[in-house]
Amino acid sequence: MLFWLILLGSGLSFGVAQNTKTEGKNDLQLAQRYRNSGQMEKALHLYESLYEKDPQVFIYQEYLSILLDLQQYAQAEKLVRKQAKKEASTVFCTIDLGQIYLLQGQKAKAEKQFKKITEETDFSSVRYSFSEVSQYLIRKTATYDYSIQLYQNARKWTGLSEMYAYELAVLYRLSWRIPEMMEEYLTLLEKHPQAESQVWMDLQALVSGSESKSTDGGVAGGGDGSAAGGGVGMQIKKILYQKVQKQAGNKTIQDLLIWILVQEKDFEQALNQAQTYLQRFRDGGKKWYEIACMADENEYFNIAEKAYRSLIERYEKENTGLSMAYVRKSKINLLNLYFKQLEKQQIKEDTKIQELKKEYQNLLLELGKEEALPLCRNLARIYAYYTQQGDSAVFLLEQALAWPNLSIWDKAQLKVDLADILLFLNRIWDATLLYGQVEKDFKQDAIGFYAKLQNARLFYYIGEFEWAKSQLDVLKAATSKTIANDAMELSLLIKENNNSDSNYLGLSYVSRADGMVYRRLYLNALSILDSVLTLPGEEALWEDVYYKKAQIYIKIDSVDQALDCFKKVYDGYPTGFLADDALFLSANLLENKKCQEGVELGVKSGHVKDKVGTLRKMEDTEIATIKLENEKQERSWSECEENKEQAKQRYERIFTEFTSSSLVPLARERYRILRGDNK
């Protein structure tokens, strides 16, 4: 009987404890709910009760926070002093007390409390780290100053100038104290070069504007780059230039200076520094070559060309200090740069194309097969698409396919290139055979998807629409977004133009025109598309016809005709599938192509006006000619501004009339730029 009484008593005690614990948990949840809903007084009473029962740190923090929100500073101070007696360490309570004084405007008393932490605390005897105390100081004071003092004094205690360099650099960065930040980063890199990637990542966030000033002592994301980007970049450059002058042999400083110049796309200055770098540190031209490549990738073609050429010429003249590997790579990249310009239609003169072909031929003889393969592919494209030497292109690629030790990937690339050229030459069945081989060997790879898409297009060109559509429908699930989108668009075109009698009359004309466009027979394609506009019962295709005509006119630089065709799409078919695309492309044409000539003339205009002002001995006829040219150029500027205004209106129509279009973000961005938001 006694045993059962004891057991029963224990059970009752356990039940009471459980009930008390459950009740406390419910009260805490209720208190948090009151606080979240703004019922601060009710929350305060509950937290006060909870703290008296169980003075845990998280309850204390919530209780103190509410007291401060309600500006009950005297009660808050009593709470902090009471908590300080309960804790083994009073570090955090001292900071809390300083916060209370700060909020009351009693700065001297607050400073006294913070000084106890930053200068007088012996951290060897407390269980908290500098990092924990630093974060607490930032949170409670909404400033980084006290955390900086904490680490500065800690450094004094250690007697090591490099101690806490990274922590201080981060705090200075968040405080926007750029000179001090750079001193700490350089100190860190001098002692720990392996930290380079972390330092560059931090500076990248700062210079790009992804970190901006925060009003609450924290870090805000998404800076606009005005204060956070350009200004900071200029400050860092100035600091590093000064340091380079004083410490010319410091490789770390030179590395950082080149890096910041590249970040700001100041490639010319970066190249100047890279040439100095070559002399001082004997890197074989690595920096020089890397900057040329970055200028190339960012489409600063003139600077990249100059960099590649000067590197090659220096090697040929002096043959000192430069690695042959970078010279060879520069020769290859220089030709590839010209090829990219050719593909972008920035090189059109036949003489320049012939010169480029000859340079490719010469370099192919100089290089080994491994390096020559990309050049071989580009030269084949020049033969086929730009110099009307299709047979030479086919022969070159067939020779390359016979090279020994080619990887299956290299062979696939060559086969696809060869198939594209055979299709261009209208050798349909030879092309489809090669596409089929690549598709079979690389079923789940990007090159296999491309081959399948090209094969489907081939059958679309020759009017085999059902088979083409079956292949295109498979490609809708391709991993490449571009291939999937292209497949979807072509599949949709075939589906929407499937007549009841399935004769595909109008579509057969359109597909033939597309085939002509692929073969660059643009006038033939325009003639066929015009025929579609006369076919009875094919009005459903007219939107596509006008859109395709506009794209052809762009290729042959007939901008006004392209704009006219785009207008027929977005005005004539405002609810059609292509209306937003037509608006965007017409805006882009107005902003760029139509203004390009005016800008070029306007730049020249300044030089012509200078001549009028300085060359007083000109003949009257010469002066009259120049004045006439000035008037023409000024009109071009005026037309350019008018075109930009029209472009802005079209961009605006996209994000006001086509709100679900994927082009809305791009249109909004271009609109803001034209409006001058980023000046």
Side-chain angles (χ1 to χ4, degrees):
M1 178 64 72
L2 181 61
F3 170 76
W4 287 109
L5 286 172
I6 292 170
L7 185 60
L8 180 61
S10 300
L12 287 170
S13 299
F14 177 73
V16 170
Q18 282 290 91
N19 289 336
T20 304
K21 188 174 181 180
T22 303
E23 184 182 340
K25 185 178 179 181
N26 291 337
D27 285 347
L28 180 61
Q29 291 174 341
L30 184 59
Q32 290 169 338
R33 201 175 303 132
Y34 280 143
R35 184 173 187 187
N36 293 337
S37 63
Q39 301 179 65
M40 305 300 282
E41 293 290 347
K42 290 182 179 180
L44 178 63
H45 291 311
L46 277 174
Y47 275 118
E48 184 178 7
S49 174
L50 286 164
Y51 180 76
E52 292 301 326
K53 293 175 185 174
D54 186 10
Q56 293 185 60
V57 173
F58 78 92
I59 294 176
Y60 156 73
Q61 287 289 351
E62 291 293 321
Y63 183 19
L64 174 62
S65 180
I66 291 176
L67 286 170
L68 296 178
D69 286 343
L70 294 171
Q71 299 183 5
Q72 296 185 19
Y73 299 123
Q75 185 64 27
E77 186 174 343
K78 286 180 184 177
L79 173 64
V80 171
R81 295 188 183 281
K82 185 176 181 180
Q83 182 69 13
K85 293 175 183 178
K86 299 178 185 295
E87 287 194 14
S89 171
T90 60
V91 170
F92 294 118
C93 290
T94 304
I95 296 171
D96 289 338
L97 197 56
Q99 182 194 20
I100 293 168
Y101 293 142
L102 269 183
L103 291 171
Q104 294 178 87
Q106 300 177 35
K107 192 170 182 181
K109 292 177 75 173
E111 290 284 349
K112 186 177 179 182
Q113 298 301 317
F114 296 136
K115 189 175 180 180
K116 289 179 183 179
I117 304 301
T118 60
E119 297 183 16
E120 300 170 15
T121 302
D122 180 6
F123 280 89
S124 63
S125 63
V126 297
R127 64 180 186 272
Y128 305 113
S129 67
F130 281 113
S131 177
E132 289 175 292
V133 176
S134 171
Q135 291 300 315
Y136 199 75
L137 277 166
I138 293 167
R139 186 156 63 88
K140 290 292 184 172
T141 64
T143 179
Y144 300 105
D145 294 345
Y146 299 112
S147 288
I148 289 170
Q149 291 173 23
L150 178 73
Y151 280 111
Q152 285 174 335
N153 286 313
R155 175 180 282 176
K156 289 178 185 176
W157 298 334
T158 65
L160 299 172
S161 61
E162 73 273 13
M163 281 297 289
Y164 306 113
Y166 183 72
E167 290 83 353
L168 280 165
V170 170
L171 290 168
Y172 284 132
R173 189 181 88 236
L174 298 174
S175 304
W176 292 80
R177 292 166 63 175
I178 305 304
E180 293 96 329
M181 173 198 77
M182 290 305 299
E183 288 292 341
E184 296 298 338
Y185 274 136
L186 289 170
T187 299
L188 174 68
L189 290 173
E190 186 178 347
K191 299 294 182 180
H192 303 284
Q194 68 274 17
E196 184 182 84
S197 59
Q198 181 62 54
V199 172
W200 287 13
M201 193 161 36
D202 290 353
L203 292 177
Q204 173 70 44
L206 192 65
V207 172
S208 67
S210 59
E211 279 187 2
S212 60
K213 289 186 180 181
S214 170
T215 56
D216 61 357
V219 180
D224 61 6
S226 55
V232 172
M234 289 297 292
Q235 285 187 68
I236 294 173
K237 272 200 299 188
K238 185 177 179 181
I239 292 164
L240 291 172
Y241 270 124
Q242 290 170 348
K243 288 192 171 293
V244 161
Q245 290 174 357
K246 294 176 182 177
Q247 303 176 51
N250 191 315
K251 188 170 178 289
T252 301
I253 295 172
Q254 194 88 43
D255 281 332
L256 270 175
L257 177 56
I258 290 172
W259 177 83
I260 191 69
L261 289 167
V262 169
Q263 296 307 302
E264 296 207 318
K265 293 185 169 55
D266 191 351
F267 294 113
E268 287 192 287
Q269 283 301 318
L271 283 164
N272 290 338
Q273 291 297 322
Q275 291 173 26
T276 304
Y277 195 95
L278 170 67
Q279 294 170 348
R280 287 177 181 164
F281 307 112
R282 303 294 178 188
D283 71 332
K286 182 181 178 184
K287 286 280 185 194
W288 191 338
Y289 172 74
E290 287 176 346
I291 294 164
C293 290
M294 283 184 272
D296 193 349
E297 288 168 12
N298 284 274
E299 298 190 1
Y300 284 68
F301 292 135
N302 290 338
I303 295 173
E305 177 189 358
K306 181 181 174 183
Y308 290 135
R309 280 204 174 278
S310 58
L311 192 152
I312 295 163
E313 287 168 4
R314 175 163 177 160
Y315 179 82
E316 290 172 349
K317 287 178 182 178
E318 300 179 20
N319 195 19
T320 55
L322 285 168
S323 165
M324 185 58 196
Y326 297 121
V327 177
R328 288 164 72 90
K329 288 178 181 178
S330 293
K331 287 181 178 180
I332 294 168
N333 286 6
L334 181 61
L335 289 193
N336 290 340
L337 181 151
Y338 291 142
F339 182 75
K340 280 188 284 187
Q341 290 179 306
L342 179 64
E343 293 276 80
K344 289 175 176 286
Q345 293 188 314
Q346 293 172 357
I347 295 176
K348 297 180 181 179
E349 299 89 343
D350 187 60
T351 53
K352 287 188 177 181
I353 296 171
Q354 293 295 336
E355 285 173 14
L356 180 59
K357 181 183 75 172
K358 189 173 181 180
E359 288 187 31
Y360 263 108
Q361 290 169 335
N362 292 337
L363 193 55
L364 271 171
L365 295 173
E366 181 183 328
L367 298 176
K369 289 180 179 177
E370 194 171 302
E371 289 177 299
L373 192 60
L375 296 178
C376 181
R377 294 176 60 205
N378 287 351
L379 179 57
R381 289 181 64 83
I382 293 172
Y383 280 144
Y385 305 135
Y386 300 101
T387 63
Q388 291 75 52
Q389 294 174 284
D391 290 341
S392 297
V394 172
F395 179 72
L396 181 62
L397 291 176
E398 286 178 341
Q399 272 194 322
L401 276 167
W403 289 349
N405 304 321
L406 282 179
S407 69
I408 57 169
W409 172 258
D410 287 336
K411 284 186 177 181
Q413 289 281 4
L414 288 168
K415 283 182 179 181
V416 163
D417 288 348
L418 180 55
D420 286 345
I421 289 170
L422 290 169
L423 178 56
F424 177 78
L425 298 173
N426 207 30
R427 291 169 58 177
I428 301 294
W429 305 117
D430 292 333
T432 192
L433 180 65
L434 287 170
Y435 286 136
Q437 289 175 7
V438 175
E439 181 188 339
K440 181 181 176 183
D441 293 339
F442 293 87
K443 288 181 180 178
Q444 298 303 318
D445 195 276
I447 196 168
F449 289 136
Y450 175 79
K452 192 178 188 73
L453 177 64
Q454 285 295 88
N455 216 9
R457 279 177 173 154
L458 181 154
F459 278 90
Y460 160 75
Y461 294 152
I462 63 174
E464 296 288 341
F465 300 121
E466 296 296 340
W467 191 91
K469 186 177 182 305
S470 68
Q471 301 304 301
L472 292 167
D473 289 342
V474 173
L475 283 167
K476 290 178 186 178
T479 52
S480 166
K481 187 176 179 182
T482 303
I483 288 175
N485 287 344
D486 288 349
M488 193 177 299
E489 286 180 19
L490 190 51
S491 175
L492 187 63
L493 177 67
I494 296 171
K495 180 182 176 182
E496 288 184 342
N497 292 280
N498 183 1
N499 296 334
S500 56
D501 58 359
S502 296
N503 63 9
Y504 289 114
L505 178 60
L507 188 59
S508 66
Y509 277 74
V510 171
S511 68
R512 280 172 54 209
D514 285 341
M516 293 293 180
V517 170
Y518 181 82
R519 296 176 59 201
R520 308 193 182 193
L521 302 172
Y522 300 124
L523 296 181
N524 291 8
L526 286 170
S527 177
I528 294 170
L529 289 172
D530 285 336
S531 299
V532 179
L533 299 175
T534 66
L535 292 175
E538 297 294 344
E539 289 82 358
L541 270 171
W542 287 7
E543 178 188 3
D544 292 280
V545 167
Y546 285 125
Y547 188 80
K548 287 176 183 295
K549 284 184 68 177
Q551 291 179 310
I552 295 170
Y553 282 128
I554 292 173
K555 292 178 186 297
I556 61 176
D557 287 331
S558 297
V559 178
D560 290 329
Q561 289 92 330
L563 288 169
D564 183 56
C565 286
F566 279 137
K567 182 175 174 59
K568 287 176 179 173
V569 174
Y570 59 74
D571 281 349
Y573 308 91
T575 59
F577 183 68
L578 298 170
D580 56 333
D581 293 89
L583 265 172
F584 187 87
L585 288 173
S586 64
N588 196 262
L589 274 177
L590 284 163
E591 182 186 356
N592 297 309
K593 286 262 186 179
K594 284 288 284 181
C595 281
Q596 187 175 358
E597 182 182 349
V599 170
E600 288 171 356
L601 286 170
V603 171
K604 292 175 185 175
S605 175
H607 301 304
V608 177
K609 287 178 180 177
D610 288 343
K611 287 182 181 178
V612 174
T614 57
L615 302 181
R616 299 295 183 185
K617 295 181 180 180
M618 282 184 174
E619 296 290 335
D620 290 343
T621 52
E622 290 180 281
I623 293 173
T625 302
I626 291 171
K627 285 183 176 179
L628 187 65
E629 188 66 21
N630 278 341
E631 291 173 7
K632 179 182 175 183
Q633 290 158 356
E634 284 168 2
R635 283 198 303 273
S636 295
W637 274 115
S638 176
E639 289 171 11
C640 181
E641 291 304 311
E642 184 182 337
N643 288 329
K644 285 186 177 180
E645 182 59 33
Q646 290 182 30
K648 190 173 76 170
Q649 292 169 8
R650 283 162 172 75
Y651 286 130
E652 186 177 17
R653 282 186 64 180
I654 292 171
F655 59 79
T656 55
E657 298 177 22
F658 301 88
T659 52
S660 60
S661 170
S662 61
L663 294 170
V664 165
L666 280 173
R668 201 182 296 277
E669 180 186 346
R670 296 308 310 162
Y671 174 84
R672 287 171 177 163
I673 290 171
L674 288 174
R675 193 172 62 181
D677 291 6
N678 66 333
K679 283 185 179 178

